[in-house]
Amino acid sequence: MSAVTKPAHKRELFGHPVGLYVLFFTEMWERFSYYGMRALLTLYMTAETLDSNPQSGLGWTTTEALALYGWYTMLVYVMSIPGGFLADRYLGQKKAVTIGAILLTIGHGVLAIDDLWAYYTGLGFVILGVGMLKPNISTMVGGLYKQNDIRRDKGFSIFYVGINLGSFLASITVGIVAAVYGWHYGFGLAGIGMFVGLLVYLYGHRFLVHVGNEPTMEEKASDVSLGQLFAQLLKSPLQLAIVAVLLAYSVYAGFTYEGPDNWGYGVLYIFLSLITGIMMMIYKNLNGKVEKDRYVVLLISLLMVIVFWGSFEQMGGLMNLYAQEKTNRMFLGWEVPAAWFQAANAGFIILFAVAVANFWAKRKLKGKEATSLFKMAVGVIIMGVGFIYMVFASLQYESSGSSAMYWLVLTYLFHTIGELCLSPVSLSFFTKLAPARYMALMMGVYWAATGLGNKVAGIVGESSVQAGEQKVFGGLFIFAVLFGTLVLLLIKPLKRLTHGAEDKETIVSVEDEVETIERG
């Protein structure tokens, strides 16, 4: 049968299913909308309130803006838990992505309205939309390939390019539109991008008929549910007592917290207490020493994820404000929009992703340490080193009243290289260690850890108002480097606890990487 007469879902383009490119462009426009809006978020909140002026903002303090930024970016990831659960148990990934794209389009459209109610409402829709779309569209990419299809990794690489292309284009175009015409035109452009992504996705459904469909009864029965774990928790006196104490402390600490967000922290602490209960019950139900040892390593990898994103996400918060308020952005007589600096991360990923991958491949071929834990720890250290340039920027600002743009660019360069060492590796490593019967739940915990890291970033950013940027940037540099170094010192015992989870894969991976390197 020729390619022309093949069913739509079996057709290929450049050696990959056509459905991959449908999801590529859908995700590209979703990231265009998300990162375009993210680039403006803190800048808009802290801009002065000027009547009948397109550059009028909310006039919030830095503390207020970074607090909301932390809550927002945390909830975006935490909502991936119910988003993934609804898809796995009821909707299927395909329908969940459709719902997410619609919610995102509505959210960005509402953000284009110049009113405070529209701002909060729009953010709410975006949070719900990303929660439905983000965890499920990646699952669909994997579903395009059979289990042993060697094209799978390359397919994900192509998809990853779409994410960063969308981010890069958004920071440039949305940033300049907001700078010239006003904030809400920038928000509106982000919404138009998401609407285009929705149209692409709906048009491409015929290429996706075999993936992301509603789960069968057998699939629903294969995963352990939250209800089952909570039922087991109620029958475990020690674990139940621990969770009860944590919940009591959460209610007390959250609602006696002296600040405008006391209710939010109360809910957050309760959520973390319940997550702790789930994690304890999973550990209790594991079979044998191998599963339990791997689970311990998995928890340490979660700590690295929290530390990394808690530092890295200063990019959209504190560093975004620093670019706006304290950086000399004049270039050849023209002022570079602060939002443009958000494009540096995506641009550097596109430039250096292959180089970083080849570095680790060559290191592995030479028989040197190149395990996932090692890469993640190195990624945390490199990201931390990036903050030293922000310390230099702060010193320059203190002496001359402004700092040069190249300090921000150098910081984003190191942060990006750190991200390339940790981000693509951490999720894959997590799936290797997580017990198969708890995989769906553990993926939710992974995204929750990412969200918690984003909230930590907001809290750290808020502290700059009292401590000053120089101390915050210096503290992040010291903490990240020390934490990453500690993990490196523990690499050997941690590797033993994985019980060879990567040994067999390493052999296969090296063979693939030899071929990749030989092809240039």
Side-chain angles (χ1 to χ4, degrees):
M1 183 181 290
S2 67
V4 177
T5 58
K6 279 185 178 180
H9 68 278
K10 291 186 177 181
R11 294 178 192 172
E12 295 185 353
L13 181 65
F14 304 121
H16 289 272
V18 174
L20 173 66
Y21 302 100
V22 173
L23 299 177
F24 171 98
F25 284 107
T26 303
E27 179 70 355
M28 185 191 80
W29 286 113
E30 186 273 329
R31 291 290 89 182
F32 178 95
S33 68
Y34 175 77
Y35 281 105
M37 185 272 294
R38 174 180 173 271
L40 305 181
L41 200 58
T42 53
L43 303 181
Y44 168 67
M45 287 188 283
T46 56
E48 293 183 11
T49 302
L50 303 170
D51 293 337
S52 303
N53 188 306
Q55 299 305 326
S56 179
L58 296 179
W60 290 6
T61 65
T62 297
T63 300
E64 292 170 332
L66 291 175
L68 181 62
Y69 177 79
W71 286 116
Y72 167 73
T73 52
M74 181 191 76
L75 288 172
V76 161
Y77 285 99
V78 170
M79 286 307 295
S80 295
I81 300 175
F85 173 78
L86 289 173
D88 288 340
R89 302 290 293 184
Y90 303 106
L91 300 173
Q93 286 77 30
K94 188 157 49 185
K95 190 177 292 185
V97 170
T98 302
I99 294 171
I102 293 172
L103 291 172
L104 280 165
T105 302
I106 294 172
H108 288 296
V110 172
L111 282 169
I113 301 172
D114 188 3
D115 209 313
L116 189 59
W117 71 264
Y119 183 66
Y120 286 121
T121 303
L123 289 182
F125 273 108
V126 171
I127 288 169
L128 295 174
V130 175
M132 291 295 286
L133 188 147
K134 185 171 180 62
N136 295 309
I137 195 168
S138 299
T139 302
M140 291 179 67
V141 173
L144 292 171
Y145 302 91
K146 294 181 179 180
Q147 188 64 37
N148 298 317
D149 194 328
I150 61 173
R151 301 174 300 168
R152 181 190 294 266
D153 287 349
K154 292 180 181 178
F156 270 102
S157 297
I158 294 171
F159 182 71
Y160 196 61
V161 170
I163 293 174
N164 292 288
L165 183 60
S167 173
F168 180 81
L169 293 175
S171 300
I172 297 295
T173 57
V174 174
I176 194 65
V177 166
V180 175
Y181 299 103
W183 301 110
H184 295 282
Y185 282 92
F187 290 138
L189 179 58
I192 292 171
M194 188 62 251
F195 182 65
V196 172
L198 174 60
L199 294 178
V200 169
Y201 182 68
L202 293 175
Y203 172 78
H205 265 198
R206 60 199 177 106
F207 300 106
L208 302 168
V209 296
H210 61 308
V211 293
N213 296 311
E214 293 183 19
T216 63
M217 294 302 296
E218 291 78 9
E219 290 171 333
K220 290 180 181 180
S222 62
D223 291 328
V224 179
S225 68
L226 283 173
Q228 291 173 309
L229 283 175
F230 280 125
Q232 294 172 12
L233 178 62
L234 295 174
K235 300 176 182 178
S236 304
L238 177 60
Q239 286 76 15
L240 183 60
I242 293 172
V243 173
V245 171
L246 289 173
L247 285 173
Y249 177 77
S250 297
V251 173
Y252 172 79
F255 293 98
T256 57
Y257 169 76
E258 294 182 1
D261 296 335
N262 61 332
W263 61 270
Y265 281 106
V267 173
L268 175 60
Y269 296 155
I270 291 171
F271 171 76
L272 293 176
S273 298
L274 295 175
I275 290 292
T276 301
I278 291 172
M279 300 296 279
M280 287 192 300
M281 292 313 302
I282 290 175
Y283 181 82
K284 183 178 179 181
N285 292 338
L286 294 178
N287 298 321
K289 179 177 174 58
V290 173
E291 280 196 351
K292 290 188 174 183
D293 285 350
R294 288 177 175 177
Y295 191 75
V296 171
V297 179
L298 180 146
L299 295 179
I300 293 173
S301 71
L302 278 181
L303 284 178
M304 280 197 281
V305 168
I306 294 171
V307 169
F308 183 87
W309 294 114
S311 305
F312 181 92
E313 274 300 319
Q314 300 304 321
M315 184 181 297
L318 181 59
M319 291 172 65
N320 205 12
L321 293 175
Y322 193 93
Q324 175 77 12
E325 299 169 359
K326 297 185 177 181
T327 301
N328 180 0
R329 293 178 281 113
M330 297 305 296
F331 181 73
L332 300 177
W334 178 68
E335 189 174 47
V336 177
W340 274 26
F341 290 95
Q342 299 297 302
N345 175 238
F348 285 141
I349 284 177
I350 294 171
L351 287 174
F352 294 109
V354 174
V356 171
N358 281 342
F359 168 81
W360 289 116
K362 291 178 180 178
R363 182 178 174 86
K364 188 183 293 183
L365 289 171
K366 294 177 181 178
K368 297 182 179 180
E369 183 66 60
T371 57
S372 295
L373 278 171
F374 184 82
K375 293 178 186 177
M376 292 167 66
V378 169
V380 171
I381 292 172
I382 293 174
M383 180 275 301
V385 169
F387 281 110
I388 197 67
Y389 296 107
M390 292 308 300
V391 174
F392 295 152
S394 301
L395 291 171
Q396 188 179 54
Y397 175 80
E398 287 184 358
S399 63
S400 62
S402 67
S403 59
M405 291 186 287
Y406 55 75
W407 296 123
L408 279 167
V409 175
L410 284 169
T411 301
Y412 288 148
L413 173 61
F414 275 75
H415 283 190
T416 301
I417 294 174
E419 180 187 1
L420 288 169
C421 292
L422 180 138
S423 185
V425 172
S426 60
L427 185 56
S428 175
F429 185 59
F430 203 79
T431 60
K432 297 170 192 171
L433 297 182
R437 61 191 180 283
Y438 295 106
M439 187 62 70
L441 282 174
M442 295 308 298
M443 292 310 300
V445 171
Y446 176 89
W447 290 117
T450 304
L452 183 59
N454 279 258
K455 180 55 187 170
V456 169
I459 295 172
V460 172
E462 290 177 58
S463 69
S464 67
V465 176
Q466 300 296 328
E469 288 98 341
Q470 186 176 324
K471 288 185 178 178
V472 169
F473 292 139
L476 288 170
F477 160 67
I478 294 170
F479 180 77
V481 171
L482 289 179
F483 184 85
T485 302
L486 177 62
V487 176
L488 289 180
L489 293 174
L490 296 173
I491 280 291
K492 287 186 177 180
L494 289 175
K495 280 175 63 179
R496 285 196 295 270
L497 291 177
T498 66
H499 295 276
E502 293 186 294
D503 290 351
K504 183 178 180 181
E505 183 188 37
T506 300
I507 298 172
V508 177
S509 298
V510 169
E511 292 172 351
D512 292 340
E513 286 162 353
V514 169
E515 183 180 355
T516 301
I517 295 169
E518 288 176 345
R519 289 178 177 178

